[in-house]
Amino acid sequence: MRDKLFIDGQWVAPLGGGAFPVINPATEQEFATAPAGGAGDIDLAVKAARRAFDSGPWPRMTGAERARYLRAISDKILERKQDLARIEVMDNGKPLPEAVWDIEDAAGCFAFYAGLAEQLDAHPEEAIPLGDARFTSKVVREPIGVAGAIIPWNYPLLMASWKVAPALAAGCAMVLKPSELTPLTALELGAIAEEVGLPAGVLNIVTGFGADAGQPLSEHPGVDKLAFTGSVPTGSKIMATAARDIKNVSLELGGKSPFVVFADCDIDKAVEWIMFGIFWNQGQVCSATSRVLVEESLYPALLARLTEETQKITMGDGLTEGVLLGPLVSKGQRDKILAMIEQGMAEGAVVATGGKPPATLQTGYFLEPTIITELAEGNSLWREEIFGPVVCVKPFKDEADAIRMANDSRFGLAAAVMSDDLARCERVARAFRAGIVWVNCSQPTFTEAPWGGYKQSGIGRELGRWGLENYLETKQITSFDASETWGWYLKS
């Protein structure tokens, strides 16, 4: 475990000398401390990134040269897969097999963007046809500059990779601020960057609290771009801060994603995907399909089967073999969800199963997987993001009714539809107002495909080539034929 910040290629103590405890949510015990960075540390990190970008070699390398570093980072992540996954479990609470999958995906993300960095060399410029033969024009893509990234606690290393890998591939320098709840694997990423010889200042990592480190990063005039994943209220504040300097910003925010299940589908397949869509990662997933809409004729049987299978889920410490649901990330997160359930019940909702801490686990921030029914469309549980293992299930009459309810949300990150009628699936997928749509599944995420939402679920897209474009500027270069005379003011 590391007790220093990673700034300008060096491990340095925070200027304020502070540290904060890191709590294992399964045991409620401190198992590490992390350095508490502040505004002064952020300033040092941004200045280091600024030097690396303005006068260092990184943005001036070819894409192939940068790709070698990215692939080396990918390889080192895979070499350390097991110990990184164990750190993630102790930091976040998720079951070990999920954490291993996350670490593999993080390595894959760096490898993928290594390939896109090489493609930048293959297409360094694009000729633009013009309507005036005296001029030629071309477009070049250039790194945006210094990027500040603020990431959440639900997928710590993976969310870091989603931002660091494309930024570095583009030629940017970055300051990364991880969540104070899960800071450890971000610091390990700094150790890996040091090990592969990444030039000083290209990647800087400052751990600390939002008000102390995150806010100064978003306000710093030396930052050209801000990338944030997290809640809508915090995203709104970051957007307002960015507006003062007209900073480029990309936001991946909350969701209240619908899953529409038609009566013609296989009930076991539907139950499996509903459970995967809400109980994976303890439901702490921005795209979780937490609003399940079931065709009326299937609703009673599906609800009974879903309740039966949900009650079989094994809870416990994520390091224990066979556990499928770990603790929530913190006491504060569990208390918030319990309060939301209580409020929803006061508004008329019914808990079909769960809704409370398990009696068998006295220690840890555990919450039973929960199914909520009898919800009015205005119920707060139906409308607000819960960010936990809580699924709301509601019947619908017909396709039009399902689409209306699915789209009646201020969020628009993801949506899913399940039916044996693929033509209907295509119609419904097109009708959803969401940036990510799954057909006959929920939650599979691929580095190659764009990720982002409509409405209050964010601005911009991550992953795929779209993720790289987040960190590139577009420059037009237009030339006049020197053998010609313009002759507007000076007449020959």
Side-chain angles (χ1 to χ4, degrees):
M1 304 303 175
R2 303 181 190 279
D3 59 358
K4 294 182 179 179
L5 309 172
F6 186 63
I7 298 175
D8 204 17
Q10 303 292 320
W11 293 99
V12 297
L15 294 175
F20 58 93
V22 183
I23 306 299
N24 183 332
T27 66
E28 303 184 31
Q29 298 298 309
E30 176 184 332
F31 73 97
T33 59
D41 303 295
I42 289 291
D43 185 57
L44 291 175
V46 172
K47 287 176 178 175
R50 195 78 260 168
R51 288 191 298 273
F53 183 79
D54 292 339
S55 55
W58 188 252
R60 294 155 191 86
M61 290 181 182
T62 65
E65 289 171 327
R66 292 196 294 271
R68 285 196 287 273
Y69 288 95
L70 292 172
R71 285 204 173 88
I73 292 172
S74 174
D75 291 344
K76 290 296 180 183
I77 290 173
L78 287 177
E79 281 180 21
R80 296 190 54 197
K81 177 173 67 175
Q82 292 301 325
D83 70 289
L84 289 171
R86 288 181 67 84
I87 293 171
E88 212 80 303
V89 173
M90 291 187 291
D91 219 357
N92 168 276
K94 66 181 66 188
L96 182 60
E98 295 186 21
V100 170
W101 196 348
D102 290 353
I103 302 305
E104 291 171 345
D105 280 353
C109 187
F110 277 97
F112 174 79
Y113 281 106
L116 289 196
E118 291 167 338
Q119 291 180 26
L120 290 174
D121 292 344
H123 305 284
E125 59 186 49
E126 177 187 355
I128 305 298
L130 301 175
D132 188 328
R134 296 172 297 173
F135 295 89
T136 58
S137 188
K138 62 184 177 183
V139 165
V140 297
R141 309 299 302 279
E142 297 178 344
I144 202 166
V146 172
I150 302 173
I151 59 170
W153 43 258
N154 56 342
Y155 292 94
L157 185 61
L158 184 57
M159 291 297 98
S161 301
W162 281 22
K163 290 174 172 54
V164 174
L168 268 54
C172 295
M174 175 167 274
V175 178
L176 173 68
K177 194 294 212 187
S179 169
E180 63 271 17
L181 293 176
T182 54
L184 299 182
T185 49
L187 293 171
E188 295 305 313
L189 180 60
I192 289 171
E194 179 185 37
E195 189 175 357
V196 304
L198 192 71
V202 172
L203 177 62
N204 307 272
I205 300 166
V206 179
T207 55
F209 291 86
D212 300 330
Q215 185 173 340
L217 178 58
S218 65
E219 293 175 346
H220 202 291
V223 173
D224 299 301
K225 184 210 170 51
L226 289 168
F228 171 76
T229 297
S231 70
V232 171
T234 304
S236 179
K237 290 177 183 177
I238 287 173
M239 189 173 179
T241 300
R244 292 203 290 268
D245 295 330
I246 320 296
K247 282 186 174 71
N248 185 298
V249 63
S250 54
L251 304 171
E252 200 266 273
L253 306 177
K256 191 69 179 177
S257 302
F259 192 159
V260 174
V261 180
F262 286 95
D264 63 346
C265 69
D266 181 281
I267 193 168
D268 283 349
K269 290 180 180 178
V271 167
E272 170 67 26
W273 282 112
I274 290 168
M275 293 173 70
F276 192 80
I278 189 61
F279 299 137
W280 175 263
N281 204 41
Q282 293 73 250
Q284 298 168 140
V285 184
C286 54
S287 60
T289 37
S290 56
R291 289 188 299 144
V292 174
L293 291 151
V294 184
E295 195 166 5
E296 284 179 337
S297 60
L298 182 64
Y299 179 83
L302 185 140
L303 180 60
R305 187 84 171 91
L306 178 62
T307 302
E308 175 190 1
E309 292 301 322
T310 295
Q311 291 170 346
K312 296 178 184 177
I313 292 175
T314 304
M315 289 179 284
D317 188 321
L319 293 176
T320 302
E321 188 174 354
V323 163
L324 290 175
L325 191 77
L328 294 167
V329 73
S330 68
K331 181 180 185 298
Q333 182 67 9
R334 185 177 66 176
D335 289 348
K336 172 188 168 187
I337 294 171
L338 288 171
M340 292 184 74
I341 293 172
E342 184 177 351
Q343 176 62 36
M345 291 173 65
E347 296 168 12
V350 173
V351 175
T353 189
K356 62 186 184 301
T360 55
L361 293 167
Q362 297 296 313
T363 301
Y365 308 127
F366 293 95
L367 176 67
E368 291 180 351
T370 302
I371 301 172
I372 306 288
T373 62
E374 306 300 324
L375 296 119
E377 289 185 48
N379 190 290
S380 56
L381 290 172
W382 185 254
R383 303 202 69 82
E384 299 301 323
E385 184 176 41
I386 300 169
F387 221 66
V390 181
V391 63
C392 299
V393 187
K394 189 173 179 63
F396 68 85
K397 295 178 182 178
D398 54 28
E399 184 176 318
D401 188 39
I403 292 168
R404 178 192 64 77
M405 285 196 284
N407 287 336
D408 184 19
S409 172
R410 64 193 175 100
F411 300 107
L413 182 55
V417 58
M418 179 163 272
S419 172
D420 285 347
D421 183 343
L422 295 184
R424 174 161 58 189
C425 287
E426 180 68 17
R427 283 195 311 272
V428 173
R430 296 284 183 150
F432 283 142
R433 294 288 295 162
I436 304 151
V437 175
W438 294 293
V439 174
N440 289 326
C441 60
S442 177
Q443 304 308 308
T445 304
F446 298 94
T447 307
E448 299 86 351
W451 184 272
Y454 291 12
K455 297 185 274 188
Q456 290 189 26
S457 287
I459 296 172
R461 295 294 181 269
E462 294 190 301
L463 298 184
R465 61 178 174 82
W466 300 267
L468 182 67
E469 289 167 2
N470 268 335
Y471 298 94
L472 291 171
E473 291 279 23
T474 301
K475 177 183 285 185
Q476 173 209 143
I477 301 175
T478 296
S479 301
F480 182 61
D481 187 341
S483 67
E484 298 280 351
T485 301
W486 189 238
W488 188 264
Y489 292 103
L490 304 182
K491 309 296 182 181
S492 57

